[in-house]
Amino acid sequence: MRLCYRIPITSVQTTTTAPLHPSSSSSSPSLSFTTKTDSNLEMQSLYHHKTTTLTKNDVARDTVSSCRLCPPKLGKRWREYQGSHDWEGLLDPLDDAMRCEILRYGQFVDAAYRAFEFDPTFPAYATCRFPKNVLLTRTGFGHTGYRVTKHLHATCGVQTPGWIDRLPSWMSVKSSWIGYVAVCHDKEEIARLGRRDVVIALRGTATCLEWLENFHTTLTDLPPLVGPTGSIGPKVERGFCSLYTSRTATCPSLQDMIREEVARVIQLYGDEPLSLTITGHSLGAALAILSAYDITTTFADAPLVTVFSFGGPRVGNKSLRCQLDKSGTKILRIVNSDDLVTKVPGFVMEEDDDVAKKYSTHMASWFRKRVRGTQWGYADVGKELKLCSKESPYLNNINFATCHDLKTYLHLVKGFVSSTCPFRATKEVLSTRFIN
């Protein structure tokens, strides 16, 4: 889910300030920075950028930090960073190479947001603003070694009443651009990564009908073409399933487009080391998990499938989680403990959950039995990297929107050290350009 405003300006002059690092002396000489930002490259956000005042010590510290974050050579260890051992020993404390990989995949999602046309007054509303060959460069990503090979669209299957046709046309857009597929083609980057990587990047909620789909929060059986059905089979949130499988006469479903491109990639590169990484934020994180499940149940020869999920809501029931585990799908959920979106929809009832700790074992067991077989019995999936926006000394005016924003997530990943040291000294203030 994502709330967005777009201000139609040609350019904006921005000066940023942040509190001094606690260890900095108040008498230290300060540096101020003024940057000019092309409005076409601005992230759509609900919070305002604050001005940052930095000492020379802060700048020196961050320069060292940035050097440590230079993309490392993964080589033969690439499977570990893709989760082959469930990221054992890489998350707490957070390994610097792992940090780089998380931030790198977060930037692919950032590019999906920046490429999306948010302005409902534009005829091209809800489409991609850039052609495939320049999408990554025009969104400010820089040299990635990847080439975008396919645009992806999602279609809302929600039935709209007839009177909605009298509203502005942008309110009833059914199919909208939601992301892209990019394939690593640069030989040096392939050597650094240890394999050829394929990325599927998906943005969060943007259109009115996508918001309506988000509110269809009961569980439903997966369609036969996605996986097994039945009362004990995998179930997913109804709205997410609709967005993944719905199609129109002129637009294939997101499921069809992903299957087609994955089949093409496997055919082209299946005889070399290959990974498939699906990354998304909010709604995109939920669709990433559905995509991963679909790919592993559709393609017997699928490569290692990994999901990097930012601020994702719950997606399905315990059976879905079991099927994902059996298929070998690796999922890393990056979660801000202050982000309410990650705590909905439904209820999660596990043996060691918070409800079981708060109430008696007997009462918790009774509640689990009542919820598990209903349309509200959800289960969290994968491995979790838990962050906390309250731990950052640089986030002010924390609210629902700031806690959920992708830029906040990337800021927290940049600063996170471990569960005992949740945030390190850094001058970064909500910057998404962590890796040059």
Side-chain angles (χ1 to χ4, degrees):
M1 302 174 195
R2 184 177 177 81
L3 300 174
C4 305
Y5 292 125
R6 183 185 178 100
I7 303 174
I9 53 178
T10 55
S11 64
V12 60
Q13 195 84 7
T14 321
T15 305
T16 40
T17 50
L20 294 173
H21 183 267
S23 64
S24 301
S25 169
S26 59
S27 61
S28 299
S30 62
L31 301 174
S32 62
F33 299 87
T34 301
T35 60
K36 190 172 184 179
T37 306
D38 182 350
S39 65
N40 288 334
L41 296 182
E42 289 181 340
M43 278 288 288
Q44 311 300 317
S45 174
L46 272 182
Y47 60 82
H48 302 289
H49 297 281
K50 299 296 179 182
T51 305
T52 301
T53 302
L54 304 166
T55 66
K56 290 182 178 178
N57 291 335
D58 286 326
V59 175
R61 251 194 314 271
D62 195 71
T63 301
V64 174
S65 172
S66 297
C67 291
R68 288 201 305 268
L69 286 175
C70 288
K73 184 173 182 178
L74 304 182
K76 294 181 179 179
R77 296 187 63 194
W78 71 266
R79 290 183 179 274
E80 294 179 45
Y81 289 95
Q82 289 294 105
S84 62
H85 302 305
D86 293 322
W87 296 281
E88 186 69 30
L90 297 177
L91 300 180
D92 193 8
L94 184 59
D95 177 83
D96 273 341
M98 189 72 246
R99 186 194 318 277
C100 280
E101 288 300 281
I102 295 172
L103 292 173
R104 189 171 68 89
Y105 287 118
Q107 285 186 294
F108 279 103
V109 185
D110 181 24
Y113 276 121
R114 289 171 175 259
F116 184 77
E117 181 51 75
F118 282 95
D119 193 338
T121 64
F122 281 23
Y125 169 67
T127 65
C128 183
R129 298 165 53 221
F130 309 116
K132 295 194 294 287
N133 61 330
V134 296
L135 189 153
L136 295 176
T137 54
R138 292 292 298 275
T139 54
F141 203 160
H143 178 70
T144 63
Y146 288 72
R147 180 185 296 120
V148 175
T149 60
K150 191 175 186 68
H151 286 307
L152 300 174
H153 295 78
T155 298
C156 299
V158 63
Q159 297 298 315
T160 56
W163 54 261
I164 202 169
D165 295 334
R166 296 193 294 269
L167 298 176
S169 59
W170 61 269
M171 297 185 70
S172 58
V173 171
K174 275 189 170 291
S175 297
S176 57
W177 185 84
I178 199 165
Y180 58 91
V181 181
V183 178
C184 186
H185 67 91
D186 182 78
K187 291 183 179 179
E188 291 185 4
E189 183 68 0
I190 292 173
R192 184 188 75 80
L193 293 174
R195 84 285 185 189
R196 186 186 299 273
D197 186 38
V198 180
V199 171
I200 299 175
L202 303 167
R203 61 161 176 81
T205 309
T207 69
C208 291
L209 294 188
E210 287 172 359
W211 277 105
L212 287 179
E213 291 281 31
N214 286 337
F215 292 123
H216 292 169
T217 55
T218 55
L219 288 167
T220 184
D221 290 327
L222 283 165
L225 291 179
V226 177
T229 60
S231 58
I232 60 173
K235 295 177 181 288
V236 298
E237 199 251 27
R238 188 178 302 274
F240 301 152
C241 185
S242 174
L243 284 166
Y244 187 66
T245 60
S246 296
R247 59 177 62 86
T248 67
T250 57
C251 184
S253 67
L254 177 60
Q255 177 191 44
D256 293 336
M257 287 184 280
I258 288 178
R259 284 184 177 185
E260 179 185 353
E261 187 63 8
V262 169
R264 188 188 71 85
V265 167
I266 292 176
Q267 184 177 10
L268 281 176
Y269 309 113
D271 58 347
E272 60 182 273
L274 185 67
S275 66
L276 182 55
T277 309
I278 314 174
T279 182
H281 171 247
S282 193
L283 169 63
L287 295 175
I289 291 174
L290 276 183
S291 303
Y293 177 79
D294 187 27
I295 290 167
T296 54
T297 54
T298 302
F299 298 95
D301 55 347
L304 176 62
V305 178
T306 303
V307 174
F308 287 92
S309 155
F310 297 89
R314 296 167 185 156
V315 178
N317 65 353
K318 188 174 181 179
S319 179
L320 177 71
R321 181 178 68 188
C322 292
Q323 292 292 333
L324 285 165
D325 291 341
K326 289 178 182 178
S327 70
T329 302
K330 301 301 178 181
I331 300 171
L332 180 60
R333 294 169 47 248
I334 297 93
V335 173
N336 178 1
S337 59
D338 298 318
D339 183 3
L340 295 178
V341 172
T342 63
K343 299 175 174 64
V344 296
F347 301 94
V348 173
M349 301 302 300
E350 302 295 344
E351 298 299 327
D352 58 348
D353 63 14
D354 293 337
V355 175
K357 294 175 182 177
K358 186 175 181 180
Y359 301 103
S360 68
T361 303
H362 175 74
M363 184 176 180
S365 177
W366 176 87
F367 191 67
R368 276 195 298 270
K369 290 178 181 178
R370 297 300 180 275
V371 171
R372 190 170 291 163
T374 70
Q375 292 182 323
W376 301 101
Y378 281 76
D380 288 326
V381 298
K383 193 81 172 178
E384 183 177 273
L385 173 62
K386 183 172 286 188
L387 310 171
C388 180
S389 53
K390 291 187 178 68
E391 300 293 347
S392 170
Y394 305 105
L395 291 176
N396 299 318
N397 303 320
I398 297 174
N399 54 41
F400 169 83
T402 58
C403 287
H404 185 57
D405 198 285
L406 175 63
K407 293 171 76 175
T408 298
Y409 271 87
L410 299 184
H411 169 71
L412 295 176
V413 170
K414 174 79 185 294
F416 179 78
V417 178
S418 68
S419 55
T420 57
C421 180
F423 208 90
R424 67 182 178 186
T426 174
K427 77 176 181 63
E428 285 291 351
V429 181
L430 301 178
S431 172
T432 59
R433 294 294 168 260
F434 299 130
I435 302 173
N436 294 323

